Amino acid sequence: MESSHTLLAAVLLWLHLFLILIVTARAKVPAIIVFGDSSVDAGNNNQVPTIARSNFRPYGRDFYGGKPTGRFCNGRLATDFISEAFGLRPFVPAYLDPAYNISDFAVGVTFASAGSGYDNATSDVLGVIPLWKELEYYKDYQKRLRAYLGDGKAIDTLTNALYIISIGTNDFLENYYVVPQRRIQYTIDAYQEFLIGIARNFIVDLHSLGARKISLAGLPPMGCMPLERAENLANACMETYNTVAMSFNAKLSDLVVKLNKEVPGLQLVFSNPFSVLLQMITNPSLYGKSYI
């Protein structure tokens, strides 16, 4: 899991930066605000009763001080690098981490929870923070930010901040293909449409709360995750899962186009890590590696 998340973080970093620089060219970005799953959780799960934690070694061995923080990687996440690239802090702290307060969160915060998904049922699998609760934490954050900065500066921060959403893999790998309930209710295509509806509502709600610049991440080639490869013959990627990821990414891309047309003032971009990450896995020699 560690190597897959580290690699995914690198891919997401460059894709996010490329798209973000287009959308926010010459624009001030006073804060990075993050929602999602383990790809962007900086330690929120340390504060909830779940086994989905990474607050132990070897996680964090390359982070400041060499200590595990709750990030599902050996060092920093893509969102940490993005924050630094915009001249902010070199890492984005978790909202529930008691080591930080509103003065830290004023320039960056993540509400993400490892194991979460668009579907509330996904977060129930491992007892983590559902996406709707992440939004509730964001509302609480807004109140605290206004009290700390004053209404005017807080509104400016919330309006000009860069919002990053990275979520969705667990809906399939930890829920649909593992727990029978959703498979009984939906075909795989219908389930994707169900998730797209949730994604749409979440983005619209986020916009109504003041968000304008939003980067929405697609799914990686989830059939190539270490566990999925280990369960497949010859350690090969599970193509069925990869096909689903491509299909879902196409639906997310269509959603982005529609919302940019329908929602006034919204600057929504879609960052798709699928092809780049798949190339890294299938052709590691191109990146100076013998195996990924």
Side-chain angles (χ1 to χ4, degrees), residues 2-134:
E2 177 187 352
S3 61
S4 68
H5 280 291
T6 302
L7 184 57
L8 177 57
V11 174
L12 286 175
L13 166 64
W14 293 112
L15 286 170
H16 274 301
L17 284 178
F18 176 73
L19 292 168
I20 289 163
L21 289 173
I22 294 174
V23 174
T24 61
R26 298 184 180 179
K28 176 185 177 183
V29 175
I32 305 294
I33 300 175
V34 187
F35 301 87
D37 55 22
S38 61
S39 60
V40 287
D41 182 358
N44 284 312
N45 275 18
N46 293 347
Q47 309 305 318
V48 298
T50 177
I51 61 171
R53 295 183 179 182
S54 57
N55 57 344
F56 53 89
R57 292 182 178 275
Y59 295 110
R61 64 188 181 190
D62 297 320
F63 196 76
Y64 301 105
K67 297 180 180 180
T69 61
R71 289 168 171 80
F72 281 75
C73 63
N74 58 295
R76 290 190 288 168
L77 299 170
T79 41
D80 297 322
F81 287 101
I82 291 169
S83 177
E84 184 177 36
F86 279 104
L88 303 173
R89 296 185 64 161
F91 59 89
V92 179
Y95 190 60
L96 299 184
D97 191 331
Y100 302 97
N101 55 44
I102 192 60
S103 64
D104 301 298
F105 302 144
V107 294
V109 61
T110 177
F111 305 99
S113 176
S116 193
Y118 287 109
D119 187 353
N120 288 338
T122 300
S123 60
D124 291 340
V125 175
L126 293 172
V128 298
I129 304 167
L131 189 57
W132 69 264
K133 184 63 175 180
E134 292 186 28

Side-chain angles (χ1 to χ4, degrees), residues 7-290:
L7 184 57
L8 177 57
V11 174
L12 286 175
L13 166 64
W14 293 112
L15 286 170
H16 274 301
L17 284 178
F18 176 73
L19 292 168
I20 289 163
L21 289 173
I22 294 174
V23 174
T24 61
R26 298 184 180 179
K28 176 185 177 183
V29 175
I32 305 294
I33 300 175
V34 187
F35 301 87
D37 55 22
S38 61
S39 60
V40 287
D41 182 358
N44 284 312
N45 275 18
N46 293 347
Q47 309 305 318
V48 298
T50 177
I51 61 171
R53 295 183 179 182
S54 57
N55 57 344
F56 53 89
R57 292 182 178 275
Y59 295 110
R61 64 188 181 190
D62 297 320
F63 196 76
Y64 301 105
K67 297 180 180 180
T69 61
R71 289 168 171 80
F72 281 75
C73 63
N74 58 295
R76 290 190 288 168
L77 299 170
T79 41
D80 297 322
F81 287 101
I82 291 169
S83 177
E84 184 177 36
F86 279 104
L88 303 173
R89 296 185 64 161
F91 59 89
V92 179
Y95 190 60
L96 299 184
D97 191 331
Y100 302 97
N101 55 44
I102 192 60
S103 64
D104 301 298
F105 302 144
V107 294
V109 61
T110 177
F111 305 99
S113 176
S116 193
Y118 287 109
D119 187 353
N120 288 338
T122 300
S123 60
D124 291 340
V125 175
L126 293 172
V128 298
I129 304 167
L131 189 57
W132 69 264
K133 184 63 175 180
E134 292 186 28
L135 194 64
E136 290 301 308
Y137 281 133
Y138 171 66
K139 293 176 184 177
D140 179 67
Y141 164 73
Q142 286 190 326
K143 294 177 183 177
R144 294 175 64 187
L145 193 67
R146 288 190 175 95
Y148 177 67
L149 295 178
D151 286 345
K153 191 170 182 180
I155 291 173
D156 179 73
T157 296
L158 295 169
T159 301
N160 292 297
L162 172 64
Y163 294 76
I164 297 174
I165 304 169
S166 179
I167 198 168
T169 302
N170 296 313
D171 289 307
F172 299 98
L173 298 187
E174 301 295 337
N175 185 2
Y176 189 85
Y177 287 113
V178 176
V179 182
Q181 178 184 356
R182 291 308 193 201
R183 292 201 307 279
I184 294 172
Q185 292 177 297
Y186 301 101
T187 64
I188 187 60
D189 188 66
Y191 186 60
Q192 290 179 57
E193 293 296 343
F194 170 69
L195 297 180
I196 290 296
I198 296 172
R200 178 189 180 89
N201 291 339
F202 182 81
I203 293 168
V204 170
D205 287 345
L206 197 56
H207 175 270
S208 71
L209 292 169
R212 292 297 179 267
K213 304 182 185 75
I214 305 175
S215 176
L216 177 65
L219 301 186
M222 57 189 185
C224 298
M225 294 294 192
L227 179 59
E228 281 60 47
R229 292 169 71 179
E231 293 178 343
N232 204 6
L233 294 176
N235 200 36
C237 296
M238 298 184 72
E239 293 306 323
T240 299
Y241 291 174
N242 283 351
T243 299
V244 169
M246 287 189 289
S247 174
F248 188 67
N249 284 346
K251 289 178 171 62
L252 283 177
S253 181
D254 289 343
L255 175 65
V256 167
V257 172
K258 291 177 182 177
L259 287 178
N260 277 324
K261 292 179 180 178
E262 297 172 7
V263 182
L266 179 65
Q267 299 178 63
L268 178 64
V269 296
F270 177 58
S271 57
N272 187 352
F274 188 95
S275 296
V276 177
L277 185 52
L278 184 62
Q279 185 183 58
M280 287 183 174
I281 294 169
T282 56
N283 296 288
S285 61
L286 295 176
Y287 303 89
K289 304 291 183 180
S290 58

